[in-house]
Structure formats: C-alpha cells, structure tokens
Amino acid sequence: MQPLIHTYAPELQVSNWVNTEKELSIQEHRGKVIVIYAFQMLCPGCISYCIPQAKKMSQLFSSEEILLIGLHSVFEHHDVMGIDALNVFIHEYKLAFPVAVDQASTDSTIPQTMSAYRLNGTPSLIIIDKQGLIRVNQLGHVDDMLVGKILGQLMSE
Amino acid sequence: MQPLIHTYAPELQVSNWVNTEKELSIQEHRGKVIVIYAFQMLCPGCISYCIPQAKKMSQLFSSEEILLIGLHSVFEHHDVMGIDALNVFIHEYKLAFPVAVDQASTDSTIPQTMSAYRLNGTPSLIIIDKQGLIRVNQLGHVDDMLVGKILGQLMSE
Amino acid sequence: MQPLIHTYAPELQVSNWVNTEKELSIQEHRGKVIVIYAFQMLCPGCISYCIPQAKKMSQLFSSEEILLIGLHSVFEHHDVMGIDALNVFIHEYKLAFPVAVDQASTDSTIPQTMSAYRLNGTPSLIIIDKQGLIRVNQLGHVDDMLVGKILGQLMSE
Amino acid sequence: MQPLIHTYAPELQVSNWVNTEKELSIQEHRGKVIVIYAFQMLCPGCISYCIPQAKKMSQLFSSEEILLIGLHSVFEHHDVMGIDALNVFIHEYKLAFPVAVDQASTDSTIPQTMSAYRLNGTPSLIIIDKQGLIRVNQLGHVDDMLVGKILGQLMSE
C-alpha cells in the first residue's frame, strides 16, 4: 500500500442512505474504527474484490468493533447507476451493512465525497482510526490478512 | 444435469442486438453448434459463473466451431436492466461476443425467448446441435470440463 | 498447447501398479481414449493442478469412455518418493483411479516411460486416441474446458 | 473458533530444526507474538490451507512482528515423513521460515509437542501472546482476515 500522511477524515456527503434508519456521521463515531468501502455497482473489480471483502468484514466484526459503510461513488455511467438500480443491487447481493450514495457534484463527474477523499477510482478502501484520522486510503485490492491486521491494530489503539 | 427430450430450438425473439452487425438466426446457423447463455446483468450467480464461462468459451473456440450468443433474459427488476444499463455492463465486462436482448412480453414479466425455451431462471445454458436440436438446457452452473466435453462431442457429430 | 506430430503411444514401463488388479496395457485398450497423467507426489504444481483435474476426469467420465492412468514419473528426490510414500499419498488424496509407477532407469535419473514419451517434467498430460496415436503431450496446466473438448472430440472419432 | 482457557505455552520438543541456524525457544521470545503452525507434509488439508497461509504470514509480517515456526507433527505414516522427505518438501514448496520436527514419543504415535499442546490433528494453528500465553489453538482452517485481526490485536498488546 502507498504511504499516507494522516489527516482527519472529512464528513461524508450523501444523497441517499440504504440499510440504516438514520444518517451516519464520521464525527459522531469518534472512538470507533470506521471502514468506508467506495465502489460502483457496475465495476467488475468491485464485484470481484470489494463486495466479498466487505461482506466478510460485516460477518467477522461486530458493530461494536467497526462501523462499516459502503460508499457508492459513481463517477461514470451515472444514468444507469442511480438509486433504483443500486437498491436492486443491494437486494440481489444481500448486502446488510449501511450504504451511502456519494452526493453528485454540480460541476464535475466526480461525486463530492470521492473528491474530498481524493479517491483515484473504485474500489477504494478507507480506514479511519478512533481519533478520526485516515490511516488507509487505497485503490484496488488489499489482501484479507493485511486488512485484518490493520483493523486488529486500530481496534487496540 | 437433467435429462432432456430433444426438440428443435425455437427462434430467438430479440428486441436489441449488441456486438453484431446483423441479427443472428438459429435457423441460418444449421450445421454449427450454437451456445446460448441466458443471464441477467444484476444476477450474482450469472456474474460469478456464466460470464467467466462464456468468456472462456469465446477464447477457446473459434467462430467456425461454435456460435456463442449471450441472451439477456430480464424477468425481474426490468426498470434497471434496460438496454442502456446492459451496454455499460457489456463495456465494463469487456464482452466481445454477440448479446441479444430477450423481447419483453406484453402479458408477463417473463420475456418471450425465456418462455419459448421454458427457462427456469438465470443463468441458463442452452446448447443446440448441428441439426438444430436442443441438447442441453440447464439452470445454474455446469462444470467447465463437462461443457467442454459436450461441445467437443457435438462438434464431431 | 504445443503442436504435435502424432506418433503411436509406446507401452508403459511400470515397476508397480496401484488401484488395479491387473496390469494395464496401451495396446490392449486400442479403441478407447486413454489419459495418462504424469506426476510426482512432491511436485507442488502437480498437487495444485494435475491431481484435482485427474480426480474431476474420473468423476465426469466413465471407464467406458476413457481409461485414466496416473503415472508416477520420479526424476528427482528418488529416495523419498518410493512406493511406500506413494501408497500413503494415494490413500490421503483418496485417488481411486489406477496409478502406475514409472520404471526407474539403470543409467539415468529419468524413468523409462518418461524417456519414451520425451516428457519435459511434471505434471504432463498425455492423451491417446482410439487408434493408439498420441494427440496431446503437454507439460503444465491445461484448462479444464479445453481438456473436456479434446476428450469429447476423441471419444466421437 | 473454540473458546480457550489461556495457559502458558509449553516449550517445543524438537528433534530437528530446518531454516534456522540456532534452536528457537518459546521462553526466549517472550515479548513477541509467536505463531506455530502444526502440519504434516502428506496431509491434503495442510497443503491446501496451512502452507499458503503460513507463507502469506511470512510475507506480510516482519520477524520483528511475529516469530513464525512450522511444526512438523507426524502422528501417522511415520516411515515416509522423515527428515529427508521433509527437507525435499521444504525445498519444493520454497518454505523460508523455520520448521521444527516434533520429537517422536517412545510410547505413542503422537509426538511430544503435539501431546503437550493437546492438538487434535493437523493443520493446527497456535498463537502465543507476548506474555507467553496460548491465545489460539485451533484445528483446521481459520480465515485469513480473522488470523490477521488476531495478530494485529496481539501485536498491539
């Protein structure tokens, strides 16, 4: 993974929430490890790697241990990855964790949270420590064992 | 696989063709082994099994050996699996073989070709021999080696 | 796979047979497709690819369709891959098909059948047609679908 | 995984060491997380799960982070899994981490370290914390992400 200067995680900019009764805030979960998994529903690498890994996280870790949020950051083919299509995707892939729809920009194809976190594409794995600092911000696949190690370490801080 | 009474393959009922300059006809390809792979772009089992297997077929077999057609048979969530979404899917998954969109029915959620072939869901693998008889019509995953054996045998008939 | 000049398959030179009551002869099985899978029990590539593929063949094809023979062609580390070790290996990996031990040479580390077939290492897949001609002689992994196609074609000849 | 009463890890009883210049002691590595992976070279489950997972650990974690020891605990087929065969296995599978041969018992087929740790078979994963307490002692496969989490947590204690 690339080295990273730790900065405070910006708040998510979200147009829709799925699988949660209330909006989730980075700020309000200070004290908990937060995993944000940015994906697009029609991105093959996301389907192959991100979705199974996110499902495994949600099975292995309790909601006391981590807050896991899927972030649907659509930066291409916007017309066919709207909220209706995403709802079908979440239903068919049996995703049980909260999913946020990244708020579209008015002047860019890149949605707002994706810009704020300077993501280079999807899938991107973001891990935020208990203090609210971004500790991982990685495009592409990160090995399961390495993800587990990092989460284990951050939980213990 | 389930035993099957061999019947002549009905013609495909198609609203759109992708990756082919002209419409493809079962009748006009008498003398060639035809593989029709019915899928839905938001069906997880199709993404895991059907798409990789269809891509492998298109790599291993020449167009002289088999005619491979993807059949997008949408029987649920019709709103979000239209032709625009399918075009993005085909682009992102780099499908190079012809794909037919199964013609919607006016009185049923089941599209017309899916009804004619009595498919029970997606993915479904249909294999038609050189005489035009349906030799395989199977819901779910069929092992690569078994698919290869059947195609090898039918090519040799 | 490499192109191949078809030659008649030489008889196997065997010091021990496992999983068969009588010795098996290439000559005596003229009229049947024969698969010979050369392996070494301590060869990682053989464990990863050859053994699972051979087990799949033995499940998918009846003994009427093909004669499958494992060939233990030891060309290195002879001391620790003797018949006692091989018997344990066959037991632990639950191999049910006949296995022949390639006859050691008196003047070479390469056993006799391995020399006769000019194998370059293990795993090597040899496929012999109904006439007794070698149609495949390939070092390394061959895709399941391609193996299936070749076997389907040769069965139909 | 099964719950576990934490007890101090007994010292390894070893007849041979491979891939290390000096004998390794549990006692002398107090302060470091220790992973002991018990396996047998002719155990299919060990080859499929334990060996790849141990190799991944040795790639992802530095020797400052964990001490990884393979433990060859032969409890069956002793004749064909001696030190000569094991040396070939370690060479062929390119294992670079230290491997200890569990000391045979005079009155049992179960070797001494296997008895001391009350292992029920192979593969067995043992993880010892910085204080020398056994925190994991698990027969069979443990998911990579869970192994990573446990190691991350124990490293942080």
Side-chain angles (χ1 to χ4, degrees):
Chain A
M1 294 192 298
Q2 296 164 341
L4 191 70
I5 298 167
H6 300 164
T7 54
Y8 282 99
E11 200 52 80
L12 304 177
Q13 303 301 319
V14 176
S15 57
N16 298 79
W17 283 96
V18 186
N19 285 339
T20 174
E21 290 183 12
K22 61 173 193 169
E23 299 185 10
L24 298 169
S25 151
I26 303 290
Q27 286 286 353
E28 291 178 10
H29 287 83
R30 193 64 55 88
K32 186 178 284 192
V33 176
I34 302 174
V35 176
I36 298 169
Y37 226 138
F39 72 103
Q40 292 183 108
M41 59 174 281
L42 295 183
C43 148
C46 299
I47 303 302
S48 296
Y49 298 116
C50 157
I51 297 299
Q53 195 172 59
K55 290 179 84 164
K56 184 177 284 189
M57 282 184 210
S58 74
Q59 288 160 359
L60 287 181
F61 301 108
S62 72
S63 60
E64 302 299 308
E65 293 180 304
I66 64 168
L67 172 63
L68 170 64
I69 299 172
L71 178 67
H72 197 231
S73 288
V74 179
F75 63 92
E76 56 185 351
H77 314 306
H78 300 73
D79 289 351
V80 297
M81 291 195 271
I83 182 67
D84 290 348
L86 180 64
N87 279 327
V88 169
F89 178 85
I90 289 170
H91 171 76
E92 289 294 324
Y93 279 81
K94 298 182 172 56
L95 305 188
F97 49 83
V99 176
V101 178
D102 199 347
Q103 176 77 55
S105 302
T106 52
D107 58 352
S108 165
T109 57
I110 310 292
Q112 296 181 25
T113 313
M114 188 173 183
S115 291
Y117 279 84
R118 301 178 184 216
L119 305 185
N120 291 314
T122 55
S124 280
L125 175 65
I126 299 163
I127 304 181
I128 300 166
D129 69 16
K130 293 178 178 177
Q131 297 181 69
L133 293 166
I134 302 173
R135 298 287 285 273
V136 171
N137 186 343
Q138 182 67 33
L139 177 67
H141 186 55
V142 182
D143 183 87
D144 274 2
M145 194 185 284
L146 185 53
V147 169
K149 174 205 173 187
I150 293 166
L151 292 176
Q153 287 181 313
L154 296 186
M155 284 175 202
S156 301
E157 284 183 349
Chain B
M1 294 194 297
Q2 296 163 339
L4 190 71
I5 297 166
H6 300 164
T7 54
Y8 282 98
E11 201 51 81
L12 304 178
Q13 303 302 318
V14 177
S15 57
N16 298 78
W17 282 97
V18 186
N19 285 339
T20 174
E21 290 183 10
K22 60 172 193 170
E23 299 186 11
L24 298 169
S25 150
I26 303 290
Q27 287 284 355
E28 291 179 10
H29 287 82
R30 193 64 55 87
K32 185 178 287 192
V33 176
I34 302 175
V35 176
I36 298 169
Y37 227 139
F39 72 104
Q40 292 183 109
M41 58 173 282
L42 295 183
C43 149
C46 299
I47 303 301
S48 295
Y49 298 116
C50 155
I51 299 297
Q53 195 172 60
K55 290 178 84 164
K56 184 177 282 189
M57 280 183 211
S58 73
Q59 287 159 0
L60 287 181
F61 301 107
S62 73
S63 59
E64 302 299 309
E65 292 178 303
I66 65 168
L67 172 63
L68 170 64
I69 299 173
L71 179 68
H72 197 230
S73 289
V74 179
F75 62 92
E76 57 185 349
H77 315 305
H78 299 73
D79 290 349
V80 297
M81 291 195 272
I83 183 67
D84 290 347
L86 179 64
N87 278 328
V88 168
F89 178 84
I90 289 169
H91 170 76
E92 290 293 324
Y93 279 81
K94 297 181 172 57
L95 306 187
F97 50 83
V99 177
V101 178
D102 198 348
Q103 177 77 55
S105 301
T106 52
D107 57 353
S108 162
T109 58
I110 310 293
Q112 295 182 25
T113 313
M114 189 172 183
S115 290
Y117 279 85
R118 303 180 183 214
L119 305 185
N120 290 315
T122 57
S124 280
L125 174 65
I126 300 161
I127 303 180
I128 301 165
D129 70 16
K130 293 178 177 176
Q131 297 182 70
L133 293 167
I134 302 173
R135 299 287 284 272
V136 171
N137 186 345
Q138 183 67 33
L139 177 66
H141 186 54
V142 182
D143 183 87
D144 275 2
M145 195 185 283
L146 184 53
V147 170
K149 175 204 173 187
I150 293 166
L151 292 176
Q153 286 180 315
L154 296 187
M155 285 176 204
S156 301
E157 283 183 354
Chain C
M1 296 194 296
Q2 296 163 340
L4 190 71
I5 298 166
H6 300 165
T7 53
Y8 281 99
E11 200 51 80
L12 304 178
Q13 303 302 318
V14 176
S15 57
N16 299 78
W17 283 97
V18 186
N19 286 337
T20 174
E21 290 182 12
K22 60 173 194 169
E23 299 185 10
L24 298 169
S25 150
I26 303 290
Q27 287 284 354
E28 290 179 10
H29 287 82
R30 193 64 55 87
K32 185 178 287 192
V33 177
I34 302 175
V35 176
I36 298 169
Y37 227 139
F39 72 104
Q40 292 182 109
M41 58 174 279
L42 295 183
C43 149
C46 299
I47 304 301
S48 296
Y49 298 116
C50 156
I51 298 298
Q53 196 172 60
K55 290 178 84 163
K56 184 176 282 188
M57 281 184 211
S58 74
Q59 288 159 0
L60 286 181
F61 301 107
S62 73
S63 59
E64 301 299 308
E65 293 179 304
I66 64 168
L67 172 64
L68 170 63
I69 299 173
L71 179 67
H72 197 231
S73 289
V74 179
F75 62 93
E76 56 186 350
H77 314 304
H78 299 74
D79 290 350
V80 297
M81 291 195 273
I83 182 67
D84 290 347
L86 180 64
N87 278 327
V88 169
F89 177 85
I90 289 169
H91 171 76
E92 290 293 324
Y93 279 81
K94 298 182 172 56
L95 305 188
F97 49 82
V99 176
V101 178
D102 198 348
Q103 176 78 55
S105 302
T106 53
D107 57 352
S108 163
T109 58
I110 310 292
Q112 294 181 27
T113 313
M114 189 172 182
S115 291
Y117 279 85
R118 302 180 184 215
L119 306 184
N120 290 315
T122 56
S124 280
L125 175 65
I126 300 162
I127 303 180
I128 301 165
D129 69 16
K130 293 178 177 177
Q131 297 182 69
L133 294 166
I134 302 174
R135 298 287 284 273
V136 171
N137 186 344
Q138 182 67 34
L139 178 67
H141 186 56
V142 182
D143 183 88
D144 274 2
M145 195 184 284
L146 185 53
V147 169
K149 174 203 173 188
I150 293 166
L151 292 176
Q153 287 180 315
L154 296 188
M155 285 175 204
S156 300
E157 283 183 353
Chain D
M1 295 192 297
Q2 296 164 339
L4 191 70
I5 297 166
H6 300 166
T7 54
Y8 282 99
E11 200 52 80
L12 304 177
Q13 303 301 319
V14 176
S15 58
N16 297 79
W17 282 97
V18 185
N19 285 338
T20 174
E21 289 182 12
K22 60 172 193 169
E23 298 185 9
L24 297 169
S25 151
I26 304 290
Q27 287 285 355
E28 290 178 9
H29 287 82
R30 193 65 55 87
K32 186 178 283 191
V33 175
I34 302 174
V35 176
I36 298 169
Y37 227 138
F39 73 104
Q40 293 183 107
M41 58 173 281
L42 294 183
C43 148
C46 299
I47 303 301
S48 295
Y49 298 116
C50 157
I51 298 298
Q53 196 172 58
K55 290 179 84 163
K56 185 177 283 190
M57 282 184 209
S58 73
Q59 287 159 0
L60 287 180
F61 301 108
S62 72
S63 60
E64 303 299 309
E65 293 179 305
I66 64 167
L67 172 64
L68 170 64
I69 299 172
L71 178 68
H72 197 231
S73 289
V74 179
F75 62 93
E76 55 185 351
H77 314 306
H78 299 73
D79 289 351
V80 297
M81 291 195 271
I83 182 66
D84 290 348
L86 180 64
N87 279 328
V88 168
F89 178 84
I90 289 170
H91 171 76
E92 289 294 323
Y93 279 81
K94 299 182 172 56
L95 305 188
F97 50 83
V99 177
V101 178
D102 198 348
Q103 177 77 56
S105 301
T106 53
D107 57 353
S108 163
T109 57
I110 310 292
Q112 296 182 23
T113 313
M114 189 172 182
S115 291
Y117 279 85
R118 303 178 183 215
L119 305 184
N120 291 315
T122 57
S124 280
L125 175 65
I126 300 162
I127 303 181
I128 300 166
D129 69 16
K130 292 178 179 178
Q131 296 181 71
L133 293 166
I134 302 173
R135 298 286 286 272
V136 171
N137 186 344
Q138 183 67 34
L139 177 67
H141 186 55
V142 182
D143 183 87
D144 274 2
M145 195 185 283
L146 185 52
V147 170
K149 174 205 174 187
I150 293 166
L151 292 176
Q153 287 181 314
L154 296 187
M155 284 176 204
S156 301
E157 285 183 350

